[in-house]
Amino acid sequence: MGLTENEAAERLKTEGENVLGDSRKTGPLKIFLGQFRDIMVMILLGATVISVLLGEISDAVTIILIVLLNAILGFVQEYRTEHTLEALRSMTSPTAKCWRDDRLTVIEAAKLVTGDIIEIEAGDRIPADCAVLKAAGFFSDESILTGESVAVGKTAGSADDTDNSLNKPNVVYCGASATKGTCRAKVIATGMRTQMGRISEMLTDIDSEPTPLQKRLAELGRAVAVICLIVCAAVFGAGVLRGENVFDMLMTGITIAIAAIPEGLPATVTIALALAVNRMLKQKALVNKLHSVETLGCTSVICTDKTGTVTENKMTVTELYTAGCGHFFSGMGYRVSGAVTKEDGTAVDTAEEKALAEALRCGVLCSTAEINAQEAPKSRNRGVLAGKGEWKVTGDPTEAALLIAAAKAGITKESLSESFRVLEEFPFDSETRFMAVHCSCGGEKKMYFKGAEEVILPRCSRYMNESGRAVPMTAAVRRELEQKAEDMSDRALRVLVLAVCTSEVFAPHCGELVFLGLAGMTDPPREEAKTAIRKCAAASVKTVMITGDHKKTAVAVAKQAGLLKGGNAITGAELDKLTDEALDRDIGKYTVFARVEPVHKLRIVRSFKRRGEIVTMTGDGVNDAPAVKEANVGVAMGVTGTDVTKQAADVILLDDNLATLVDAVEQGRCVYANIRKFVRYLLSCNIGEVLTMFLGIITGMPIVLLPVQILLVNLVTDGLPAVALGMERPESDIMTRPPRRSGEGFFAGGLMWKIVIRGIFIGLSTLASFTVVMRMGGSLEACRTAALITLVTSQLIHVFECRSERKSVFRMNPFGNMKLVGAVLVSGAVLAAAVMIPQMQVIFSTVAPDMVQLLTALGFSIAVPVLSAIINR
């Protein structure tokens, strides 16, 4: 049986090893050096060199430390993403039980070749794509490839079948795991030719692109570079025209240009993003890549999986129909609470409802699953179960759903253990599609059946009525049951038929069964997901559901979750018929994509991106990894997600909850708004400083501020206040605004106008303070001290104005951000020390101002926000 060692060796030479191919790796050094390609970083590096040449060593050290901090953070984030394919490769099985030379031997999975015959049993990781030759109750968990959470039964097919397309009943796939039974299979694809290999190939074809924030910061860097050149040239030209020394004016121009650089900006951005990451972590969202925090804020489309994200991923029996009577179960998922009621809402007593009680007993006995409550239920009577927490479930989720439904009616394995004993079992099989157990009950022996409606119902010749008697199945009753089963299926419920027969011998294929009930179960939508979807709609964020489930099931869940308002559903097969142009034109019409494969998910994400949307994609399985990596923001599930998807993702939801993702979008919007706030603040302040120096030079005034005083200004205003501004809470209406457009400039909404006007006011007020004190007869040191006080104080007042782009400083609560208040107080204390403490006066060339000089300086500082409020009213 199988190949000979010689045949296998020859094929191994031709086909290569059964491993996933190497991706385009980037070395650590290249990743680190890549952090210095940013325009703002290049400007800062240039400023470092010039500072050293000018002898400003402290400036140079400060700037280089900022640059290195950002480079190290960026390196750590990028290096982590390079592990995606390594995690993918590690998922392939290391060994395989293979027939070689008519002997079953264990070999390295990497040595498998097409034509090898292998043996697989429950618990094994499947090492290659294989055609099933023989199967005994074999089930495979293919969720990492298909996204479907239910294990798939496999049946034997043709030994000559070499087609390894997804979703084939006679093919097992590399990376999937065996959950039940045994299987003999023939290898038909290895390495990059497997379905896992094709996904790996998709990942290597996806190139990273800059985030919107990185693009905006690059735009800002270019603007700063131009401003620096203009300032340097203007100062140099003005000085030379006045007859100043050419070299001195060149150095002065360069000094002022360096003052124009907001050297604190990269560090402040990094700190703001890091603080947002910490806030998101508290909300159960773990961020892999810093800049993805801001990208979340401009998300315009969220592509979400169904199972476990929109739904709870916990099968729940919602109704059980016995002949002529419906019974309904409250309490969704695995919660240890719920009730059983009739159609009129009255509680059910299983002592009176004989058919219901027998149906629930059937569901309990015909099960290999187990449920255990972490805390014992408080009461269990008359169809009501009261308790806290959730059941701990082991085994098949469908069987667990039946156990939980029975527990709500007071029927459990424990309560049946004294009177019922399972003698034999016929396990569920994908071919027979039913399960049966043979039980002894007192002096009587029964067989209980659970299975598909089309398999079990035709075998039922009788049904149990409400009093517990088995009566003949009439044509009318059969039609009623068939219609009820169809109605449940139309509502996307999974339907199982429960039946029983009395038999001394175990005969699982018996044809004289007594119908007990139709159990309808569903994976219910999360309540918080419904709220999150409504919140997204209010924020003009489109939510679409992408799933491998059937269209009918997906549509039903989407309706319950509120996703199908004004949208349609489309399947993967229907997508295949559309060209890229047609898909780009029509994709906005759809909110549900059903029966999709990995290539479809990737195509959907790319289509939205071509339309200019910022796409956030959630996923948990390996099948999701390419689309997760392609999206502007990839989001992995922390509980059910595979290592591959987590490595490919930018964000990991630790609770697999869509509501957590929407909260993260809110944080993303907040962090971008805060970045705009402190960019506004830093640039306004720097423009004020540059204008003060520039106008002083061209008007023939003495040097208004000395270099050491400019350094003090930057130290006091560019540090703590800017960081504290980045900690501003989200404004109340932030999730009622539409997301910003992907091409929107950083200074959109008149921000540049606000920055320039405020910078001019700061510069003019500082010059005015200097001039007035000079005319009062103050010394040059007193004039510079007054100018220093005005410049710093006006900037510290301005930081409160920057808390909102929509409100003036007089319409905001000044204590709304206590960290900002604290930062301003610290900065104010540093300024006071610089002008009042004798030792500090020597360092910064200041003098203690008299009362008139102090009031003059403070008066010009306060005049600035008053003028701004009047202009922006």
Side-chain angles (χ1 to χ4, degrees), residues 84 88 199 203 206 621-630 642 644-645 648:
T84 299
L88 190 57
I199 292 173
L203 281 173
I206 298 170
V622 173
N623 62 314
D624 298 322
V628 165
K629 191 172 182 183
E630 173 68 28
T642 59
V644 177
T645 312

Side-chain angles (χ1 to χ4, degrees), residues 197-527:
R198 292 174 187 174
I199 292 173
S200 171
E201 204 165 31
M202 287 186 214
L203 281 173
T204 62
D205 289 340
I206 298 170
D207 294 317
S208 298
E209 61 180 45
T211 68
L213 179 59
Q214 288 171 323
K215 293 176 183 177
R216 300 293 84 80
L217 289 177
E219 172 189 305
L220 177 60
R222 287 190 289 270
V224 168
V226 171
I227 290 170
C228 289
L229 291 173
I230 292 173
V231 167
C232 184
V235 171
F236 174 77
V240 171
L241 289 175
R242 286 177 51 198
E244 301 287 346
N245 181 276
V246 173
F247 180 77
D248 288 345
M249 291 316 302
L250 178 61
M251 290 299 98
T252 302
I254 292 173
T255 302
I256 296 176
I258 290 175
I261 299 172
E263 62 272 9
L265 180 59
T268 309
V269 169
T270 301
I271 292 169
L273 292 172
L275 291 171
V277 166
N278 286 333
R279 289 195 298 270
M280 290 168 66
L281 183 58
K282 292 176 183 177
Q283 296 175 341
K284 303 294 185 183
L286 175 65
V287 176
N288 273 347
K289 301 170 187 175
L290 275 182
H291 279 269
S292 59
V293 176
E294 176 274 335
T295 312
L296 270 169
C298 51
T299 294
S300 57
V301 175
I302 294 177
C303 299
T304 179
D305 189 22
K306 176 184 74 69
T307 306
T309 309
V310 175
T311 66
E312 294 197 9
N313 195 20
K314 296 169 183 175
M315 293 299 289
T316 306
V317 175
T318 56
E319 56 190 272
L320 198 157
Y321 186 80
T322 56
C325 187
H327 306 86
F328 300 89
F329 296 77
S330 64
M332 288 295 181
Y334 295 162
R335 297 179 184 87
V336 186
S337 61
V340 189
T341 59
K342 297 180 182 179
E343 291 182 86
D344 60 4
T346 57
V348 166
D349 186 351
T350 51
E352 299 175 1
E353 299 278 347
K354 304 291 186 181
L356 173 64
E358 186 71 347
L360 292 174
R361 277 193 290 271
C362 175
V364 171
L365 295 168
C366 213
S367 171
T368 59
E370 298 285 344
I371 60 170
N372 294 285
Q374 295 177 353
E375 181 180 329
K378 293 180 180 177
S379 62
R380 188 187 271 131
N381 53 53
R382 286 192 59 81
V384 178
L385 177 66
K388 294 181 179 180
E390 292 196 341
W391 294 101
K392 183 180 179 182
V393 171
T394 55
D396 184 82
T398 300
E399 293 182 350
L402 289 169
L403 293 180
I404 293 171
K408 292 171 183 176
I411 298 173
T412 64
K413 283 192 174 185
E414 292 78 13
S415 67
L416 298 178
S417 60
E418 293 184 6
S419 51
F420 287 85
R421 186 164 61 92
V422 176
L423 304 174
E424 295 178 81
E425 177 187 313
F426 181 80
F428 188 91
D429 183 273
S430 58
E431 290 184 350
T432 59
R433 301 177 68 196
F434 74 91
M435 177 182 180
V437 292
H438 195 206
C439 301
S440 65
C441 177
E444 189 179 32
K445 291 184 179 179
K446 293 181 178 181
M447 288 192 299
Y448 287 100
F449 293 79
K450 172 193 71 181
E453 176 259 333
E454 57 269 32
V455 174
I456 300 296
L457 191 56
R459 293 167 58 185
C460 295
S461 57
R462 294 177 295 167
Y463 69 92
M464 186 173 288
N465 62 18
E466 293 182 29
S467 62
R469 290 177 55 246
V471 296
M473 177 79 72
T474 64
V477 172
R478 188 177 298 278
R479 281 196 301 273
E480 177 191 342
L481 296 176
E482 289 172 347
Q483 182 60 46
K484 190 65 180 177
E486 184 177 347
D487 172 61
M488 287 182 175
S489 295
D490 287 343
R491 288 183 283 122
L493 296 180
R494 186 178 184 193
V495 181
L496 289 178
V497 174
L498 305 168
V500 67
C501 74
T502 302
S503 175
E504 288 296 315
V505 297
F506 187 38
H509 295 285
C510 168
E512 297 294 323
L513 306 184
V514 177
F515 171 85
L516 296 176
L518 292 168
M521 58 189 72
T522 185
D523 182 8
R526 292 173 179 257
E527 287 302 319

Side-chain angles (χ1 to χ4, degrees), residues 20-193:
L20 300 182
D22 290 335
S23 64
R24 296 169 292 178
K25 289 187 177 180
T26 305
L29 181 60
K30 187 174 181 180
I31 293 174
F32 182 72
L33 294 177
Q35 308 305 314
F36 298 93
R37 291 179 298 186
D38 181 80
I39 290 179
M40 183 65 77
V41 171
M42 290 180 181
I43 292 172
L44 291 176
L45 289 174
T48 303
V49 174
I50 294 171
S51 296
V52 171
L53 294 176
L54 294 177
E56 301 292 339
I57 303 301
S58 59
D59 278 4
V61 171
T62 302
I63 295 171
I64 203 67
L65 286 176
I66 290 170
V67 170
L68 284 174
L69 172 66
N70 282 278
I72 290 169
L73 288 173
F75 168 78
V76 170
Q77 301 299 332
E78 276 195 43
Y79 189 70
R80 184 186 289 123
T81 67
E82 293 301 316
H83 293 299
T84 299
L85 292 176
E86 292 175 24
L88 190 57
R89 282 192 291 273
S90 72
M91 292 189 66
T92 57
S93 178
T95 62
K97 295 184 283 289
C98 179
W99 289 93
R100 291 276 176 89
D101 293 323
D102 292 323
R103 289 184 297 110
L104 186 62
T105 182
V106 177
I107 67 170
E108 289 182 48
K111 304 302 181 186
L112 284 176
V113 295
T114 56
D116 268 328
I117 306 297
I118 63 173
E119 301 286 345
I120 307 169
E121 60 185 26
D124 288 348
R125 181 81 70 179
I126 296 165
D129 288 2
C130 309
V132 178
L133 303 179
K134 186 169 70 173
F138 186 77
F139 283 77
S140 170
D141 179 0
E142 298 173 357
S143 60
I144 62 170
L145 291 169
T146 64
E148 294 192 49
S149 56
V150 179
V152 181
K154 296 295 180 178
T155 57
S158 170
D160 299 323
D161 188 355
T162 59
D163 177 14
N164 68 331
S165 301
L166 278 174
N167 300 313
K168 292 187 68 174
N170 65 317
V171 174
V172 291
Y173 300 96
C174 175
S177 57
T179 58
K180 274 186 187 179
T182 60
C183 166
R184 176 175 295 164
K186 178 181 179 181
V187 176
I188 58 175
T190 60
M192 297 298 287
R193 293 173 291 279

